[in-house]
Amino acid sequence: MKTKKALCIMSGGMDSTLCAYMMKEEGYEIVALHFNYGQRTVRKELQAFRSVCRDLGVENPYEIDLDFFKTIGASALTDHTLDVPTGGLEAGVPITYVPFRNGIFLSIATAVAEKEGCEAIAIGVVEEDSSGYPDCTESFIGAFEKAANLGTKATTSVTIKMPLVRLNKSQIVAEAIKLNVPLHLTWSCYKDEDEACGECDSCRLRLRGFEQAGAKDPIPYRHV
């Protein structure tokens, strides 16, 4: 019987890591894809991705460099002249939004999935408890799925799975603990690579999720 494959876009963070373990739980063989796009914590995220892949037993993961994001700029994650905000979560799209990042990631993921014969692409977007990024919404991912299937071979049929999209961070933490996801290997901080800053939006969301789930985050923080 043919093994079903899922192409998992994995940053090394908690959400995308849980997403990959959920796909494994569903019986998919994992094809792992990571992007180095000039983000501030590029070294730490790559290290986290590789560690998670070893734990998952993934062979030959894809690591793709996308240097052009730094040329585009307009995001505090890729333009080091812009400060990562540490004042707490605010309404609107934050300066840490990378223009159309998930659209670009999904385009490349579709190409890899077609080559690998994957029937699913999994992405760990979270709409209900996120930083307000427009490319993390269920409506956007659903529209992209239609475009991906229109732009690939007639024999290619890909479903884009987003199992976390309606969860909040405490539910994500609880599900990760239930599936024995190695959360100590993951990294979410936007700013720092040795200790998580504890102040950026991503750290705040992660810490709040652990607190509400009644669990302790296993990664080190400079400020908590």
Side-chain angles (χ1 to χ4, degrees):
M1 192 170 74
K2 183 182 176 183
T3 302
K4 61 179 184 178
K5 293 182 179 180
L7 186 287
C8 295
I9 302 172
M10 298 168 61
S11 67
M14 180 171 67
D15 298 348
S16 63
T17 296
L18 170 58
C19 191
Y21 280 80
M22 291 174 78
M23 292 300 101
K24 184 178 181 180
E25 182 76 4
E26 290 185 23
Y28 287 95
E29 177 187 334
I30 304 302
V31 178
L33 172 60
H34 177 78
F35 296 104
N36 302 308
Y37 59 95
Q39 66 271 42
R40 289 172 184 264
T41 55
V42 61
R43 178 188 61 82
K44 186 67 175 183
E45 288 183 30
L46 180 58
Q47 179 189 80
F49 168 73
R50 289 173 175 174
S51 296
V52 170
C53 283
R54 283 193 292 271
D55 190 79
L56 274 170
V58 173
E59 296 182 5
N60 304 313
Y62 287 83
E63 298 172 5
I64 295 180
D65 295 328
L66 301 176
D67 292 341
F68 62 82
F69 275 107
K70 289 191 290 185
T71 302
I72 295 172
S75 169
L77 297 193
T78 56
D79 184 344
H80 291 202
T81 66
L82 301 174
D83 292 330
V84 173
T86 57
L89 299 169
E90 298 179 357
V93 179
I95 193 65
T96 51
Y97 166 65
V98 180
F100 204 60
R101 180 182 63 182
N102 282 342
I104 294 165
F105 285 2
L106 283 166
S107 295
I108 296 170
T110 300
V112 177
E114 185 169 42
K115 173 212 169 183
E116 290 281 351
C118 298
E119 61 187 66
I121 295 171
I123 184 168
V125 293
V126 180
E127 182 171 354
E128 302 218 355
D129 189 9
S130 70
S131 296
Y133 297 157
D135 57 353
C136 287
T137 63
E138 191 170 7
S139 57
F140 168 70
I141 303 298
F144 192 95
E145 178 186 279
K146 293 178 183 177
N149 283 299
L150 285 171
T152 49
K153 294 181 297 185
T155 53
T156 298
S157 179
V158 175
T159 300
I160 301 182
K161 293 180 174 285
M162 41 184 161
L164 313 185
V165 72
R166 296 187 182 182
L167 302 184
N168 60 42
K169 278 292 192 286
S170 64
Q171 291 171 316
I172 288 168
V173 171
E175 183 66 19
I177 292 170
K178 176 184 170 185
L179 292 180
N180 294 313
V181 175
L183 294 173
H184 65 286
L185 299 178
T186 66
W187 198 255
S188 303
C189 183
Y190 285 155
K191 287 183 62 183
D192 299 324
E193 296 183 309
D194 296 321
E195 292 180 309
C197 73
E199 299 175 326
C200 68
D201 287 359
S202 186
C203 281
R204 288 174 187 269
L205 284 165
R206 178 171 171 143
L207 284 166
R208 187 174 71 187
F210 273 92
E211 181 182 3
Q212 292 177 346
K216 186 178 187 306
D217 193 342
I219 70 169
Y221 284 87
R222 192 172 69 250
H223 300 290
V224 176

